[in-house]
């Protein structure tokens, strides 16, 4: 049944590519083309769920409760039809994450992520080089007809590859510097694990580690830089925890939380010099204005919010003019936590907090204290859940990506798979022996 395992890896890789680089399909094929791609992928996951008899109800109670509240918000929503549409897309995305967690092993996810991110990084670097060296001018998405003057944010690529030392940032084939930086950060984690475990040839592994690092430098994302610092902190805590008994681990975790709180407070107090060091404005690139508007809207409906909308729908109030800056209508709160609070109120925010905290704790336990069935996972592979979860959570304070597309699928995968009873079967772990010239699966 090797072909079944390989088809799952291929389906997972294509799904992650599509969800992490959604704008690539939308810019290239239009929203209708993107919808067809997504529909085909969803059909593939439904077929897999039926074939393997997956029970989709086997998800954390807190996550199920959060989705239920989002669905019920259609009742009190200020835009019920839009909420119904948003709930449908959210449920479909979570469904894919649940089926993925039930049918794809951790090793298979690593391989699929590696394939998807190699394509994203590789295509992005080639795309930016062609635009900067051959086209020599900004490129707009296909299937659009903007009226000048066109805001910078509307361009697929601004042809800034050769201007990075003068403040330019590449956006890649995903059309957004922060999205490309997120993919590169995920790649750095995945490729480093593959390198340590010799899952791909050493030269290949180092090449892609270097490509991911180069992409991070060219995107210059302050948010992802901070998120990677958080990943480094998590890595240090896990490596130390693995050397301690359970009692000392609890002390370590308590101390780590304290350090994290103090560090966050210090970063907030010293935000201006830190942002200057990272090359960002003191208003967090307009985020303070957006947050102020979102908090004001939340205050009008504090208990249950305005109704679930996921990414903001620009065709309904209050999102059509909630955050318009330099001619660009922003479609997220640039904070998953504020987005949840505004859309689902205190009730939704409480549930979301429980979902995130419990998932993070389970992933930390998964990474440090494996159950008997997980002993086949290498120490490096068991770092994957905690590191990716750290990346998602830290990013969630400045971006809302964890609520949609790739961020939501990855979060759902780890939230479900980290439940001991719900772990997917362990697949063989192909690795390249040191010094061996043989091939390994990507």
């Amino acid at each position: 049944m090797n072909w079944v395992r390989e088809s799952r890896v291929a389906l997972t890789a294509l799904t992650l590519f599509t969800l992490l680089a959604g704008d690539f399909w939308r810019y290239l094929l239009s929203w209708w083309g993107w919808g067809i791609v997504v529909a085909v992928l969803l059909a593939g996951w439904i077929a897999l769920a039926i074939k393997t008899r997956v029970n989709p109800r086997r998800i954390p109670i807190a996550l199920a409760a959060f989705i239920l509240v989002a669905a019920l918000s259609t009742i009190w929503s200020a835009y019920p039809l839009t909420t119904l549409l948003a709930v449908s897309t959210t449920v479909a995305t979570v469904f894919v994450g649940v089926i993925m967690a039930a049918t794809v092993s951790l090793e298979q996810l690593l391989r699929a992520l590696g394939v998807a991110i190699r394509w994203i990084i590789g295509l992005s670097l080639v795309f930016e080089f062609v635009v900067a060296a051959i086209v020599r001018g900004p490129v707009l998405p296909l299937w659009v007809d903007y009226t000048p003057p066109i805001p910078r944010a509307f361009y697929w690529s601004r042809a800034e590859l050769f201007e990075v030392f003068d403040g330019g940032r590449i956006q890649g084939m995903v059309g957004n510097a922060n999205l490309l930086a997120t993919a590169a950060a995920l790649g750095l984690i995945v490729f480093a694990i593959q390198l340590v475990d010799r899952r791909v040839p050493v030269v290949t592994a180092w090449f892609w580690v270097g490509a991911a690092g180069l992409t991070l430098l060219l995107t210059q994302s302050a948010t992802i830089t901070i998120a990677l610092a958080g990943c480094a902190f998590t890595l240090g805590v896990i490596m130390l925890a693995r050397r301690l008994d359970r009692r000392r681990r609890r002390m370590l975790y308590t101390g780590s939380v304290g350090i994290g709180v103090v560090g966050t407070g210090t970063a907030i107090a010293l935000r201006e010099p830190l942002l200057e060091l990272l090359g960002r404005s003191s208003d967090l690139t307009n985020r303070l204005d957006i947050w102020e508007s979102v908090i004001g809207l939340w205050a009008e409906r504090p208990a249950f919010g305005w109704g679930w909308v996921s990414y903001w729908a620009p065709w309904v109030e209050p999102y059509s003019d909630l955050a318009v800056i330099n001619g660009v209508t922003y479609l997220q709160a640039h904070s998953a936590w504020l987005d949840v609070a505004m859309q689902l109120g205190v009730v939704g925010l409480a549930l979301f907090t429980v979902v995130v905290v419990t998932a993070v704790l389970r992933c930390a336990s998964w990474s440090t204290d494996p159950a008997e069935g997980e002993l086949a996972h290498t120490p490096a592979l068991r770092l994957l859940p905690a590191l990716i979860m750290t990346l998602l959570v830290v990013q969630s304070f400045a971006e809302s990506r964890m609520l949609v597309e790739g961020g939501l699928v990855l979060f759902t995968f780890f939230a479900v798979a980290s439940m001991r009873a719900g772990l997917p079967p362990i697949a063989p772990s192909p690795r390249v022996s040191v010094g061996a010239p043989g091939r390994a699966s990507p």
Side-chain angles (χ1 to χ4, degrees):
M1 298 294 286
N2 286 336
W3 69 269
V4 176
R5 297 195 186 98
E6 294 304 314
S7 66
R8 291 181 189 179
V9 173
L11 178 61
T12 303
L14 184 56
T15 300
L16 291 172
F17 175 89
T18 298
L19 296 180
L20 290 171
D23 281 338
F24 166 73
W25 294 113
R26 292 187 282 267
Y27 290 172
L28 182 66
L29 303 177
S30 79
W31 278 88
W32 291 105
W34 171 81
I36 292 172
V37 172
V38 170
V40 170
L41 291 174
L42 181 59
W45 286 106
I46 292 173
L48 181 59
I50 294 172
K51 182 181 180 64
T52 56
R53 298 180 181 180
V54 172
N55 182 358
R57 294 174 298 177
R58 198 174 183 178
I59 65 176
I61 294 175
L63 178 58
F66 177 78
I67 299 300
L68 178 61
V69 169
L72 290 175
S73 71
T74 306
I75 300 172
W76 63 80
S77 173
Y79 30 80
L81 292 179
T82 300
T83 293
L84 186 61
L85 175 63
V87 169
S88 300
T89 58
T90 298
V91 169
T93 307
V94 171
F95 171 81
V96 169
V98 171
I99 303 306
M100 192 181 293
T103 59
V104 177
S105 71
L106 191 60
E107 185 272 333
Q108 289 172 326
L109 178 74
L110 181 79
R111 291 172 59 199
L113 264 174
V115 171
I117 295 170
R118 284 187 188 96
W119 277 101
I120 292 174
I121 291 176
L123 287 176
S124 292
L125 293 176
V126 171
F127 173 66
E128 288 289 353
F129 178 79
V130 170
V131 172
I134 300 176
V135 179
R136 297 186 180 182
V139 173
L140 285 168
L142 305 181
W143 314 102
V144 298
D145 185 18
Y146 296 131
T147 301
I150 302 174
R152 285 167 50 81
F154 286 8
Y155 286 100
W156 192 349
S157 170
R158 295 194 291 262
E160 295 181 348
L161 177 62
F162 301 142
E163 300 173 13
V164 291
F165 295 108
D166 296 321
R169 305 171 66 192
I170 69 167
Q171 299 173 206
M173 41 80 75
V174 301
N176 183 291
N178 288 328
L179 280 178
L180 181 56
T182 300
L186 287 170
L188 202 60
I189 294 170
V190 169
F191 302 148
I193 291 174
Q194 291 180 329
L195 174 64
V196 170
D197 275 353
R198 298 294 192 268
R199 294 176 183 273
V200 297
V202 174
V203 174
T204 301
W206 274 115
F207 173 84
W208 286 109
V209 167
L214 175 63
T215 303
L216 286 169
L217 291 175
L218 295 175
T219 53
Q220 300 182 43
S221 172
T223 300
I224 296 303
T225 299
I226 295 171
L228 284 174
C231 290
F233 179 76
T234 296
L235 177 61
V237 171
I238 291 174
M239 298 306 290
L240 182 57
R242 287 179 175 180
R243 299 174 178 270
L244 304 176
D245 56 33
R246 291 183 180 273
R247 183 180 66 83
R248 291 181 178 178
R249 282 181 186 174
R250 286 194 292 270
M251 296 173 59
L252 173 64
Y253 294 151
T254 302
S256 299
V257 171
I259 293 173
V261 171
V262 171
T264 301
T266 302
I268 293 174
L270 301 176
R271 63 182 181 277
E272 291 191 7
L274 287 175
L275 289 170
E276 184 178 352
L277 180 64
L278 293 172
R280 293 293 176 267
S281 58
S282 59
D283 66 348
L284 300 174
T285 317
N286 301 315
R287 281 176 173 80
L288 294 184
D289 291 335
I290 297 174
W291 292 346
E292 183 179 358
S293 299
V294 170
I295 292 172
L297 205 60
W298 174 24
E300 296 181 25
R301 292 189 174 195
F304 294 97
W306 287 76
W308 185 247
V309 73
S310 185
Y311 259 173
W312 299 354
W315 59 84
V316 298
E317 293 291 343
Y319 305 109
S320 59
D321 58 357
L322 181 58
V324 180
I325 301 173
N326 298 325
V328 178
T329 301
Y330 285 79
L331 303 180
Q332 61 160 313
H334 279 289
S335 168
W337 305 84
L338 286 180
D339 248 328
V340 170
M342 178 184 65
Q343 296 176 37
L344 298 179
V346 174
V347 173
L349 182 61
L351 286 172
F352 183 68
T353 302
V354 173
V355 173
V356 173
V357 170
T358 53
V360 167
L361 291 177
R362 288 197 303 270
C363 284
S365 175
W366 193 358
S367 297
T368 57
D369 187 23
E372 182 178 352
E374 299 164 42
L375 293 178
H377 292 151
T378 65
L381 181 58
R382 285 191 285 110
L383 290 170
L384 186 69
L387 293 180
I388 290 185
M389 198 61 102
T390 298
L391 181 71
L392 294 175
V393 171
V394 175
Q395 184 191 36
S396 72
F397 289 98
E399 298 281 348
S400 299
R401 304 292 182 183
M402 197 163 73
L403 303 178
V404 296
E405 298 189 333
L408 183 56
V409 161
L410 286 173
F411 178 80
T412 301
F413 177 93
F414 290 116
V416 175
S418 59
M419 298 176 67
R420 299 294 186 183
L423 287 172
I426 296 175
S429 301
R431 293 191 295 275
V432 178
S433 301
V434 178
R439 290 176 53 193
S441 300

